[in-house]
Amino acid sequence: MIANIFIGTAIFGYATWALVKFINKSKKGKCAACDLQKSCSSQGQCGVPPK
């Protein structure tokens, strides 16, 4: 019983953390939230492949 509560809490806790992280990234905008922001060569033209 205690193991089930612990596993359920861990699952819901991770789901909540992932949702909050996703919402915070989406508020920053497309380029600001990109994982490749520091090494991106598109120069602010996110979604457009570099030539």
Side-chain angles (χ1 to χ4, degrees):
M1 180 72 175
I2 293 175
N4 288 337
I5 293 172
F6 177 74
I7 292 170
T9 302
I11 291 171
F12 283 110
Y14 177 75
T16 302
W17 173 78
L19 184 62
V20 169
K21 185 177 176 184
F22 174 77
I23 291 170
N24 286 337
K25 278 183 113 177
S26 67
K27 284 182 182 179
K28 290 181 182 178
K30 191 173 185 181
C31 286
C34 183
D35 291 333
L36 302 173
Q37 180 183 10
K38 293 180 180 177
S39 63
C40 186
S41 62
S42 67
Q43 298 168 351
Q45 300 174 357
C46 293
V48 178
K51 292 181 181 180

